[in-house]
Amino acid sequence: MASDEDQLIEFLAEFTHDPLGFVYAAFPWGEGELKGMDGPEKWQCELLADVRDKIKTPNDIVREAIASGHGIGKSALVAWMILWGISTYEDTRGVVTANTATQLETKTWPELIKWHQRFIGKILFEVTATAIFSIDGDHAKTWRIDAIPWSENNTEAFAGLHNQGKRILVIFDEASAITNPIWEVAEGAMTDADTEIIWCAFGNPTRNNGRFFDCFHRLRAYWRNRQIDSRTVRFSNKKTIAEWIEQWGIDSDFVKVRILGQFPSASANQLISMDIAESGRGKHLNTWQYDFAPIIIGVDPAWTGGDMTAIVLRQGLRCSIIAKIPRNDNDFVIAQVIAQEKIRTKPMLFLSI
């Protein structure tokens, strides 16, 4: 006859590919501290169901990005994902980081500890201040998820997260402030074949640049993204939200970031807002509307990183990219600019950005 622990393991194994069913089954909804609560919020159910539907496809990395206002239950969902990920697949490995060590130590991880206490399978895993791992001594180092503060000077802490043939869970909390090098190192964990890989990025959309922003724009084809309005969540403080909207205005960047889950129109050091840039993108002019103006060539050099040098033509209201150069050799760039000058007939001005 199977022991109680064996029966518990078998029960949890039923939800190996069903995080939504796991959340409903693994916690005492309607009882004790959860009295009056019957389950997750609508947006939480949608994300859990999306992971459920995608995780079954071999070699299809699950990437989920959530931009939100305050008070939507993000930290609770992070805790559920950690507990589901580690308890329904043997020898799962993972890493959780946040925008700051303080966020990780005082908000993200304490929320995990709180839900671990409510978890039906809590006897199977130990939680410390920096990790959750199997109580089985033979698996303590191979069946674990660690909380690791990030640092641009110590990106190696995120390297080497491989778990061939099993499961990898990567969670970025308050991801908007996590710098690009950390995202790039984390990508290295995505190369294992025949491995279940789940990467979730959560946060307030505080910046209109960086990799979290890219999840909703340049890289949106690779991420399932959602933007959650705090007003749509049952337990958010509607009175405070209404006061913020009255004080700042519904179109303000404060309300966009803190309530609507939308990226700001402009950053602190940005001259032209994203709204203005997007409104002009893709529009076409008749030749007579710009042909009278002098041609200006602008050059945006790319000295470091993965960006390319861009050569841009400006003539009146017309603006277009005429060349992209994937290298930063000065002589080569100058030669390309001179070549552009030779094929233009009007007098030209040169501007280096």
Side-chain angles (χ1 to χ4, degrees), residues 11-29 38-40 44-53 55-56 77 80-81 83-84 87-88 119-120:
F11 175 73
L12 292 172
E14 295 178 12
F15 301 100
T16 297
H17 296 123
D18 185 7
L20 179 58
F22 168 86
V23 170
Y24 276 109
F27 307 106
W29 297 102
D38 58 3
Q44 294 169 329
C45 290
E46 290 174 350
L47 184 144
L48 293 166
D50 196 48
V51 174
R52 175 198 64 200
D53 296 340
I55 197 66
K56 299 175 184 178
L77 181 61
W80 300 341
M81 287 297 297
L83 291 171
W84 165 77
S87 66
T88 61
F119 178 38
I120 191 175

Side-chain angles (χ1 to χ4, degrees), residues 257-301:
V257 172
R258 308 298 173 186
I259 299 174
L260 306 182
Q262 298 176 7
F263 290 89
S265 298
S267 64
N269 59 354
Q270 185 175 6
L271 177 62
I272 302 174
S273 73
M274 289 295 296
D275 288 347
I276 294 175
E278 288 296 331
S279 66
R281 187 175 183 179
K283 290 186 177 179
H284 299 282
L285 301 174
N286 294 316
T287 303
W288 61 266
Q289 292 178 288
Y290 60 82
D291 193 49
F292 60 89
I295 294 173
I296 299 173
I297 296 291
V299 182
D300 182 6

Side-chain angles (χ1 to χ4, degrees), residues 69-350:
H70 291 296
I72 67 161
K74 167 181 59 66
S75 296
L77 181 61
V78 169
W80 300 341
M81 287 297 297
I82 293 171
L83 291 171
W84 165 77
I86 198 170
S87 66
T88 61
Y89 203 120
E90 184 177 350
D91 285 335
T92 286
R93 291 191 60 199
V95 62
V96 181
T97 194
N99 59 327
T100 63
T102 300
Q103 170 76 19
L104 195 59
E105 295 165 1
T106 66
K107 295 182 179 180
T108 309
W109 217 246
E111 188 74 8
L112 170 64
I113 293 172
K114 179 176 71 176
W115 283 96
H116 175 258
Q117 290 300 313
R118 300 166 175 168
F119 178 38
I120 191 175
K122 64 182 179 181
I123 63 171
L124 302 175
F125 300 92
E126 182 176 346
V127 181
T128 67
T130 59
I132 178 172
F133 51 87
S134 171
I135 60 169
D136 185 336
D138 294 334
H139 293 265
K141 293 184 178 181
T142 60
W143 195 347
R144 63 185 296 123
I145 295 175
D146 294 283
I148 303 178
W150 66 269
S151 169
E152 284 188 279
N153 300 321
N154 185 29
T155 58
E156 293 82 4
F158 291 84
L161 181 62
H162 297 283
N163 203 19
Q164 184 72 44
K166 296 187 180 295
R167 173 181 285 170
I168 294 173
L169 178 66
V170 177
I171 294 180
F172 283 6
D173 194 7
E174 293 304 338
S176 195
I178 297 176
T179 60
N180 290 3
I182 304 301
W183 288 78
E184 291 166 5
V185 173
E187 289 279 3
M190 310 295 143
T191 58
D192 288 356
D194 302 317
T195 303
E196 292 187 1
I197 302 174
I198 306 104
W199 189 358
C200 298
F202 303 90
N204 300 122
T206 56
R207 303 181 182 186
N208 59 9
N209 53 51
R211 285 293 295 273
F212 188 58
F213 177 82
D214 288 344
C215 292
F216 296 79
H217 297 86
R218 182 172 63 89
L219 301 176
R220 61 183 177 273
Y222 304 99
W223 289 79
R224 177 69 166 91
N225 55 64
R226 296 175 177 81
Q227 293 175 274
I228 311 301
D229 187 329
S230 298
R231 297 173 297 178
T232 65
V233 178
R234 288 175 293 179
F235 46 74
S236 60
N237 190 325
K238 305 300 190 297
K239 183 175 184 296
T240 298
I241 289 174
E243 290 175 352
W244 283 353
I245 293 175
E246 182 178 355
Q247 292 169 8
W248 295 92
I250 192 68
D251 295 324
S252 68
D253 280 345
F254 180 90
V255 170
K256 286 182 178 179
V257 172
R258 308 298 173 186
I259 299 174
L260 306 182
Q262 298 176 7
F263 290 89
S265 298
S267 64
N269 59 354
Q270 185 175 6
L271 177 62
I272 302 174
S273 73
M274 289 295 296
D275 288 347
I276 294 175
E278 288 296 331
S279 66
R281 187 175 183 179
K283 290 186 177 179
H284 299 282
L285 301 174
N286 294 316
T287 303
W288 61 266
Q289 292 178 288
Y290 60 82
D291 193 49
F292 60 89
I295 294 173
I296 299 173
I297 296 291
V299 182
D300 182 6
W303 304 117
T304 61
D307 290 340
M308 293 189 289
T309 290
I311 302 176
V312 179
L313 182 148
R314 162 78 187 280
Q315 187 178 17
L317 294 176
R318 175 195 179 199
C319 183
S320 61
I321 297 175
I322 54 179
K324 287 185 177 181
I325 306 170
R327 58 186 295 180
N328 56 17
D329 181 87
N330 283 343
D331 293 339
F332 183 80
V333 172
I334 291 171
Q336 294 300 305
V337 174
I338 292 174
Q340 292 296 329
E341 188 273 339
K342 288 182 178 179
I343 64 175
R344 311 293 169 182
T345 58
K346 288 181 174 292
M348 300 175 66
L349 301 175
F350 292 91

